[in-house]
Every structure is written in C-alpha cells, then in structure tokens.
Amino acid sequence: MASNSGSRDGQQLSRNVFQVMNQLGYSPDMVNKRRQMQKDMDIAYNKNGDRYTRITAGSKAEGITCPYESDHDRLYEDKHVACVVAPEENSEITEKSMQKGWKSHAKAGPSVPRSKGIYMEDQVFSFRCLSQRAILKDWRERDRTNWPSRSLREEVIKCLPHLVPTGCKGSENFDKEWRICFIRGELALTCSLIEGQYKLYVLLKLVKKSCFAPICDSVSSFIMKNIVFWLSEEYTADFFTAENLLETATIALTRLHKAIVDNHLPYYMIPGRNLLHNRIKHADKAQLLETITELIQDGPKLVMRCKRISDALSTPEARLLQEGIKRDKLEILKLRMIKYRTEVCKPGMSHIEEMKLAWAREEYRQTQFKLMDILIPEWRCRLFSELSSSEVKLEDFSEEEIGLIQWMKSVLREVFLTVDYPYIMEEIKLNDPNCSVQMFDEDTVLT
C-alpha cells in the first residue's frame, strides 16, 4: 500500500514538474515560436551574406533556451565548396571575426568562440558533404517499431551533413582529422519529439547544469540528446506522458550511468562512433558515477536538485502563471528585436551601424518601447523626472552597482548616446514637449 502511495506521489510530482516547465519557457507554443524565429533570423542573415550560409544549431535552433540562457551555436557553411567522403550514386557537386565589434576566444574543438558584451556565439566553419545516403544507409534501414517514422527518416536522409575541422581525442592525427556532423538531420529529429520527449531532454539538461557541471564538463547536452534519441526509439510515444516524466528521467540517468561505467555511448546517427571515447577523465569518473547513483536513488525527488525547478514548485501557482506570461512576452519581443537587427545587418558592419539602421525602422522602435512598457510601465514619465531631478548620490549604491554603472558607461557610451537615447527622448517628448536630448549631459544620462 505504501508502495502504491509513493508511486502516486511520484506521478503527481511528475505532473507538477511537467506543468511548471510551461511557465519557465518550455511550453510547446514557446518552443515552436523560438524555432520559427531562429529559422527566420537565419534566412534574413543569409540574404545579406556572401561566402557562408549560417545555420543556427543546438538549443537555440531546438527552441529550448531563451536568447541569453546559453551560447549561440552556429555553423557557417562554405557556399563554394562541397565534399564527398564515400561513393554516392546520383550525387553532383555544383559551383555554388565576420563582423566588427566581436572579441575572439581560444578555439574549442571545432568551434571558434566569440563574444560581444553578454552575447556569446560558438562559430563552426564547415563544408557541405554530399555522401549522407551512403553514411546513413544502416541508420535508415535499421529495424524500428517506434520513432522515427519512415517518412521522418527519409526527411533526415535529404539533409546534407557537414565536415568540421576537429579530430578524435587522443588520436595521433588529431590536427589532420575531420568529423562529419548532421546538424540539419538531428534538428529534424529533435523538432519531431513530442512534448514528453523534449521536456525530458530539457530536464536532463537542467540536471546536467545543476549536478554534473560542478564536477566537470564531460557530460554535454549533446550526450543527453543522444540518450533521449535512443530512448525515443526504444519506447512507445505513449510512455512519455506527464506522469512519467520523472520516471523517464531516472531511466535516462540509469542509461548514462551504464555508459560511463562501460566508457561507451554510441552516437545515434553512426552507432560505431563512441561519444565517450577519451572524454571523461579518470579523476572525475568516480564522482560522476556517485552523483548519478544518488540521483537515481532519489527517484522522482531528483528534480529537487535543479534549483530552477524546485523554486518554481515552491512558487504560488497564480504568481508563477503571471510571471510565466510576462517572461514569454518579453522573450518574444526580444527575439523580434534581434530579428529586425539581423535583417539590416551586413558582413563587416559595426554594431553601431547595425543599431542605427535598426532604430530607423518603425517596427524596431515600437518593439523596443513595448518591451520597456512591460519592464517599467511608467518609464516615459519616470525617466524624464529622474533625469531632471537632483544629482545622483553614489553613496546610495553598492560597490557592485557602481562597478556596473562604470562598465555600462565604458561599453554602452557610444551606442546608447548616439543611437538609442535620441529615439527614447523623442518618445518621451510625447508626454512632455519640454523634453529634449540637449537638456542632459552625458554622465547624467548614462548614470
């Protein structure tokens, strides 16, 4: 009887987690909107590009992270080069820092990280490969009773893979090796996952961030995604329900535990490739296994180790719903602003040039003002009154806040004063015709 009661409690907790994830930005509607927005941004970017075709990959393309929740993973496909790595029938090869203001970072695997303020991007430069039918022949024909369907497999087969410049860890020829990846094909698979499957993926990513990242970075989101792919193929769709979310998470962690013990996790697209080969250091392995064992023993309560989920579960339902609606609105507005900026951006254009063109568009201005209306409803009156008030007293701020002010002054001085501020003041003039940009000096505005 106690066992049945515990099972019911676990299923109820699972349903609660399934529901609160909607308010944290993982509802089907938000996931689909992010996916479409990222597609639109890539289309807009590629209209202005010349040598490369940009393909957004990872969690941004999958629609499961908000704009600044993690890095942007982007593949840059050379338009003028194509490769063949195996004989292919009916294949034809036809002729067919990128922006100012970016800071480059040390190369990481195949990616070339760069940043602009708080915006982070991992660039991977690649060549198209025309041999997917030969490479994925076994994957395509493998017996399955569940996912993916025959039609979905045919869709994946049509997606060209890419060759990226990175080798196998530990290889003597590491610097000369290339790796084939299936960005478009994997994205088609991820976008086909039903709600219970993609929420399992999101939950595993949250567990990874909360529980595994403090130990090491060996357990990546890509590893978690591959486990979800294997489970989706092995279990029927009706198993991935709201009440089973935490049970499927336990099954996934059990699979991860075995993979680490065996030092072997087959890549879903090419099972002969071991995703754990030379990946986990011996010094980290024991602690990882111990942590995973504890999570499995926790059962459904493992989710309480994810602070974001546990905080949401302890928040009153009405407040959580209200905050969720607000965050979704803000994110959609922010994505629209990024999209408008992408549409005007051209290779070699500086950030300030891009912002000037964006602000010149009525839809960008109105989107910016709608976002400010949600964050600070009274901003038009409040900003003017505060700028007109007495001198700011620095003793009212902490050292951290003063440091932030100094950082904003150094980073945002040129863009904000020459681009954003005049348009903002024009909007404020609608409330007070006596307002003008010339009324305030630079330090007052920035502080």
Side-chain angles (χ1 to χ4, degrees):
M1 192 73 177
S3 175
N4 290 336
S5 175
S7 176
R8 287 196 298 271
D9 291 344
Q11 289 181 344
Q12 184 57 53
L13 176 59
S14 188
R15 282 191 288 267
N16 291 343
V17 172
F18 198 91
Q19 181 59 38
V20 301
M21 290 179 77
N22 290 338
Q23 315 312 327
L24 296 177
Y26 306 116
S27 68
D29 181 58
M30 277 302 297
V31 167
N32 289 329
K33 284 179 178 177
R34 291 192 194 104
R35 289 172 180 171
Q36 187 58 53
M37 196 69 75
Q38 292 296 338
K39 285 182 184 178
D40 293 343
M41 283 189 267
D42 279 348
I43 291 172
Y45 179 92
N46 292 326
K47 284 182 179 179
N48 296 325
D50 46 10
R51 180 178 176 182
Y52 297 100
T53 297
R54 189 182 82 177
I55 304 169
T56 299
S59 58
K60 291 294 185 291
E62 293 162 351
I64 56 175
T65 56
C66 62
Y68 300 113
E69 189 175 343
S70 62
D71 295 351
H72 286 70
D73 297 320
R74 293 211 167 105
L75 191 78
Y76 288 86
E77 173 191 275
D78 195 304
K79 292 181 178 180
H80 308 292
V81 179
C83 304
V84 174
V85 297
E88 178 81 24
E89 293 184 5
N90 301 321
S91 67
E92 297 181 4
I93 301 178
T94 58
E95 186 67 24
K96 298 182 227 9
S97 184
M98 303 171 66
Q99 232 177 332
K100 298 176 183 177
W102 289 90
K103 179 181 179 182
S104 298
H105 301 275
K107 190 172 181 290
S111 71
V112 183
R114 65 176 185 169
S115 62
K116 183 191 289 183
I118 62 173
Y119 185 92
M120 298 290 296
E121 178 179 294
D122 286 336
Q123 297 177 294
V124 177
F125 294 92
S126 68
F127 299 127
R128 290 167 295 151
C129 177
L130 306 182
S131 302
Q132 76 277 13
R133 292 184 179 275
I135 298 169
L136 294 179
K137 181 179 178 181
D138 292 342
W139 177 85
R140 177 191 191 186
E141 300 302 328
R142 189 168 68 236
D143 288 338
R144 300 170 174 87
T145 56
N146 303 311
W147 177 92
S149 65
R150 169 64 69 175
S151 61
L152 179 55
R153 296 203 297 274
E154 293 301 323
E155 179 185 344
V156 171
I157 286 291
K158 294 176 183 177
C159 299
L160 290 182
H162 295 86
L163 284 178
V164 297
T166 188
C168 179
K169 288 186 177 181
S171 170
E172 294 181 359
N173 301 312
F174 178 82
D175 292 334
K176 299 178 181 179
E177 293 175 344
W178 292 71
R179 180 183 301 168
I180 191 164
C181 57
F182 300 87
I183 300 297
R184 288 190 174 104
E186 289 175 12
L187 182 58
L189 291 173
T190 305
C191 291
S192 77
L193 297 176
I194 61 174
E195 186 175 1
Q197 291 166 334
Y198 85 69
K199 282 187 174 177
L200 168 63
Y201 177 29
V202 172
L203 184 57
L204 292 175
K205 283 168 60 71
L206 294 175
V207 170
K208 172 192 75 74
K209 184 175 181 179
S210 298
C211 303
F212 303 153
I215 301 173
C216 64
D217 60 359
S218 300
V219 181
S220 64
S221 296
F222 187 68
I223 286 174
M224 294 303 203
K225 178 165 64 176
N226 272 265
I227 290 177
V228 172
F229 282 171
W230 284 114
L231 293 181
S232 298
E233 179 172 309
E234 296 168 20
Y235 289 83
T236 59
D238 57 11
F239 181 66
F240 296 91
T241 60
E243 57 268 17
N244 283 348
L245 176 62
L246 300 182
E247 181 179 349
T248 57
T250 302
I251 293 172
L253 290 171
T254 302
R255 183 69 57 90
L256 176 63
H257 187 279
K258 184 179 187 305
I260 294 176
V261 169
D262 297 341
N263 193 35
H264 185 263
L265 178 65
Y267 175 35
Y268 183 70
M269 306 302 292
I270 308 175
R273 181 192 295 174
N274 178 14
L275 295 181
L276 294 184
H277 179 70
N278 285 337
R279 185 171 184 88
I280 300 177
K281 296 178 181 178
H282 180 74
D284 299 326
K285 186 172 183 177
Q287 190 174 357
L288 269 177
L289 290 174
E290 181 181 354
T291 300
I292 296 171
T293 299
E294 291 173 356
L295 287 166
I296 294 170
Q297 292 173 345
D298 283 347
K301 292 183 179 179
L302 68 87
V303 75
M304 303 309 292
R305 298 196 184 207
C306 301
K307 188 176 186 302
R308 196 172 175 205
I309 296 288
S310 61
D311 286 350
L313 289 171
S314 62
T315 302
E317 185 176 348
R319 177 184 163 192
L320 186 67
L321 178 62
Q322 184 179 22
E323 291 177 351
I325 293 173
K326 180 179 179 180
R327 69 152 308 285
D328 286 353
K329 286 182 178 179
L330 287 171
E331 182 178 345
I332 293 298
L333 290 171
K334 188 61 181 178
L335 284 171
R336 285 177 184 168
M337 290 174 63
I338 298 173
K339 177 176 176 286
Y340 295 145
R341 283 165 47 189
T342 303
E343 289 173 346
V344 301
C345 180
K346 289 180 173 57
M349 185 178 288
S350 69
H351 183 55
I352 193 167
E353 291 170 331
E354 173 189 323
M355 293 298 293
K356 281 183 177 179
L357 289 175
W359 270 105
R361 297 180 61 173
E362 177 68 18
E363 57 265 42
Y364 181 87
R365 295 197 299 273
Q366 293 308 315
T367 302
Q368 173 73 79
F369 296 145
K370 286 179 183 178
L371 188 146
M372 294 170 69
D373 286 340
I374 295 176
L375 290 174
I376 313 172
E378 71 282 11
W379 69 271
R380 290 172 178 82
C381 299
R382 178 177 167 185
L383 182 59
F384 182 45
S385 63
E386 289 186 357
L387 286 172
S388 306
S389 64
S390 59
E391 184 178 345
V392 174
K393 297 179 181 179
L394 290 182
E395 58 265 27
D396 294 338
F397 297 88
S398 67
E399 291 184 8
E400 291 78 8
E401 289 171 327
I402 293 175
L404 179 62
I405 291 172
Q406 297 301 323
W407 175 83
M408 290 179 66
K409 289 174 70 174
S410 63
V411 174
L412 302 180
R413 180 183 302 272
E414 182 181 14
V415 174
F416 181 77
L417 283 178
T418 61
V419 183
D420 301 1
Y421 182 56
Y423 284 104
I424 290 174
M425 294 306 290
E426 284 297 320
E427 182 71 9
I428 294 175
K429 283 178 65 176
L430 298 176
N431 283 26
D432 194 323
N434 296 320
C435 168
S436 69
V437 178
Q438 290 71 29
M439 291 177 63
F440 310 105
D441 62 37
E442 181 176 312
D443 286 336
T444 301
V445 173
L446 288 172
T447 304

